[in-house]
Amino acid sequence: MRGAQVSRTLAGAAPWLAVLLALAILPRLLPDWLGFLLTVAFAKALVVLGVAVLLRSNLVSFGHGLYFAAGAYTVGFAAKWLHLREAVLLIFGAVVVSGALAALLGLFLARYRGIFFGMLTLAFSMILYSLLLRLYWLTGGTDGMVTAPPTILGVVPGAAAGRAHYYLTLVCLALALALTRRWLGSPLGYLASAIRDNEIRVEYMGASVRQGIYRTYLLSGVLGGLGGCLVAFSVGHIAPEFSYWTQSGDFVFVTVLGGYASVFAPVMGSVVFELVRNYAYALSPYTWQMSLGAILLLIVLFLPRGLWSLLAPRAPVSSPWTSSSRR
Amino acid sequence: MDVVLEAVGLAKSFGAVKAADDLSVRISSGQIVGIVGPNGSGKTTFLNLVTGYLSPARGQIYYLGKEITGLHPRQVTRLGVARSFQVPQLYTSLTVLENMLVALVIRSGRQGDCWRALRTRARLAEARRLLEKFGFGDESGQVVRTLPEGGRKLLDVALSFALGPRLLLLDEPTSGVSAAEKFRVMDTLIGVIRESGVTSVFVEHDMDVVQRYAERVLVFSEGRIIADDPPGALFADPIVRRYILGEE
Ligand SMILES: Nc1ncnc2c1ncn2[C@@H]1O[C@H](COP(=O)(O)OP(=O)(O)OP(=O)(O)O)[C@@H](O)[C@H]1O
Ligand SMILES: [Mg+2]
């Protein structure tokens, strides 16, 4: 019985291991700039995943730049004040800081829905933005901060830093995807769907809607912080714009672009977004936003469930994030 | 016998409408009580007051001797009072089975668990067993949104039953169910209720249904209880007959 279960689990994991393997050899085949683009796309995909997780409860965060910036500035501050350069510790720090922020703001935000929730998240992110801008002595103001490449488990990556960051990001992304997938198949994951469908019934079953939303928000914030931290590693420069509303808007944009029918959809959305932006910018530096806008329009019209629906056109409607269809 | 529910002098108005007007009632353990009354007579309001969705302007509510007036629906539910809804309140994008699993996990208090799977073997077995009791078979995998009205009503009741209540309040469990199916649905419901011995109150418009399944009938009119009798005695009462016939 157990053996059969193990082998079934292995069979289920095989395609993902194959994908992971392919992604692992990819940087050897790609030019450096493309490897860098993928690294950034993967890191930002974590923030997008955070937005998507909230969207499953019908909550649109227009302020996820807040966690993105919090994760990134954790790296900056830790390097500047604590002389910390170890990636694992910095990642841990970013997770703790963004988690603590989400725990605090969540107390307040979990009371709100719809446009109020969206506007409040936006407001908080803009508060952080202006703090990052104003506290020049601490944050470097508009100049932002330069973050030296971290050591990874004590190893200084040196010339191979680009590739090292790619792998580090890939590992973090894979872990976060696995954890999030597990979360979504858990009672709490289903509670989020239940809350989206019918809050009254949730309360009338004896569960707290606010608590469900609070915990979901916590996960979402931590994912955002992790993404910001990884971007700081690979880009090496952080700025207040990380918390600016256009950045948050990009994350929402990419969530819609990729869809949220699977935890992998945000990754797809993020990669496509970075590629399109890159090429659109190269083609027409002044109107690239217009190209992006046109693409979003087409997606909303023809692929309302995002790019991911191209890969999984008949995903079960019920609980598409989990493996529920496998019975 | 133990008194499961006691309401004392409940009052609630919406503007000029008195939806509950000095309403008092006692319901003993194991009873199956039917509530009848014309549209707008305060039947749903009574359930809303008992479960804490509305708070009364005056009066008290006791559950198992403990005052529950003013508690939140979640707290009332946790104490062991479950209800179903006139308009089914379901998780429409989840499947029938998933709806049941969510009910079961909340009943066990583990809805905050983000690590273990919702679909454990034991929980799946329990969900299937309960759904089967209520006549769900192949529909278990169906997304609730696509379920016919009758199925949704039944699932709504099944979910409240799954919470393992001491007191079950059903708001028109057969509305939206076709006339032909009504008795089959009620046979199923009352069968499950009798088997479990849970104290139950159901609101119902169809007098034949009430006569057949209730042990005691409360007649509501303008927020008051104007009659409280076993169905036999009640339907022999000429005033009630005229009143009820007049309503139909
Ligand atoms: N939330 C509310 N706001 C305003 N008026 C309300 C509200 N709830 C109930 N009412 C009014 O109170 C009165 C009693 O309503 P209630 O829903 O309890 O009636 P009911 O007996 O359940 O009727 P039905 O058979 O139509 O379900 C009605 O006149 C209704 O319009
Ligand atoms: Mg009613």
Side-chain angles (χ1 to χ4, degrees), chain A residues 39 43 46 75 91 168-169 172-173 225-235:
Chain A
T39 309
L46 286 162
V75 175
I91 288 172
L168 181 64
T169 307
C172 289
L173 178 65
L226 183 58
C229 161
L230 292 168
V231 165
F233 287 168
S234 57
V235 177

Side-chain angles (χ1 to χ4, degrees), chain A residues 46-133:
Chain A
L46 286 162
V47 194
V48 177
L49 184 62
V51 176
V53 161
L54 279 175
L55 253 178
R56 285 181 26 110
S57 289
N58 252 357
L59 296 167
V60 186
S61 168
F62 283 116
H64 245 54
L66 176 109
Y67 296 102
F68 185 56
Y73 275 85
T74 302
V75 175
F77 290 157
K80 190 168 173 184
W81 305 105
L82 305 174
H83 306 290
L84 249 181
R85 277 192 60 191
E86 171 51 44
V88 177
L89 290 177
L90 291 170
I91 288 172
F92 181 74
V95 165
V96 169
V97 168
S98 51
L101 257 177
L104 190 70
L105 300 184
L107 287 176
F108 181 69
L109 287 170
R111 299 157 187 261
Y112 295 92
R113 306 286 183 277
I115 193 71
F116 302 105
F117 180 88
M119 288 300 111
L120 284 168
T121 55
L122 178 68
F124 283 129
S125 71
M126 290 307 286
I127 290 172
L128 180 65
Y129 170 75
S130 61
L131 285 177
L132 294 175
L133 211 58

